[in-house]
Amino acid sequence: MTQWIDVAPLDDVPARGARMLKTAHGCVAVFRTADDEVFALDNTCPHKQGPLAEGIVHGKSVTCPLHNWVFSLETGMAQGQDVGQVATYPARVDAGRILIDAAQLTGRAVAAE
């Protein structure tokens, strides 16, 4: 069951940028494309634990700032010859606010325990 929580105004995340946002269910990296689509992913690159929220957003991808691995914002899958994946969480914009599915974030916390 989807349980949307309000995490921030859309304007808090720059176009073609990202921010780490704190929620009641833990931190999540939120990315905004040039077309104002938003995506929520775990912040840690599986390669060398680079902070993806500090990466470069291009199209619907983000490039890790440490070693240039590229991840799809839609699937979390590494692109090209690299192999790996980061978790993604349903996110959307409603009335200028970013909403994330809390049920998915809660599931992450339970799985990590």
Side-chain angles (χ1 to χ4, degrees), residues 19 23 30 37 41 44 52 55 63 76 78 83 88 94 100 103 107:
R19 291 283 184 268
T23 76
V30 175
E37 288 185 87
L41 283 72
T44 306
L52 294 177
T63 298
V83 177
T88 62
D94 186 19
I100 298 177

Side-chain angles (χ1 to χ4, degrees), residues 10 12-21 29-41 52-59 61-62 73 98:
L10 179 62
D12 278 5
V13 180
R16 295 185 295 168
R19 291 283 184 268
M20 275 293 294
L21 298 176
V30 175
F31 301 84
R32 178 179 172 186
T33 69
D35 297 329
D36 290 336
E37 288 185 87
V38 294
F39 299 90
L41 283 72
L52 294 177
E54 296 177 21
I56 298 170
V57 175
H58 46 98
S61 300
V62 60
L73 294 173
I98 299 170

Side-chain angles (χ1 to χ4, degrees), residues 16-97:
R16 295 185 295 168
R19 291 283 184 268
M20 275 293 294
L21 298 176
K22 292 181 180 178
T23 76
H25 308 286
C27 292
V28 65
V30 175
F31 301 84
R32 178 179 172 186
T33 69
D35 297 329
D36 290 336
E37 288 185 87
V38 294
F39 299 90
L41 283 72
D42 278 343
N43 188 44
T44 306
C45 174
H47 175 227
K48 296 284 186 179
Q49 288 71 53
L52 294 177
E54 296 177 21
I56 298 170
V57 175
H58 46 98
K60 293 183 180 179
S61 300
V62 60
T63 298
C64 178
L66 293 187
H67 295 95
N68 297 323
W69 279 34
V70 177
F71 294 90
S72 165
L73 294 173
E74 295 175 303
T75 66
M77 296 293 296
Q79 305 297 293
Q81 296 181 6
D82 298 321
V83 177
Q85 184 174 16
V86 294
T88 62
Y89 307 99
R92 65 183 176 99
V93 176
D94 186 19
R97 305 288 303 183

Side-chain angles (χ1 to χ4, degrees), residues 1-3 101 103-104:
M1 180 173 152
T2 304
Q3 183 181 15
D101 183 359
Q104 296 293 320

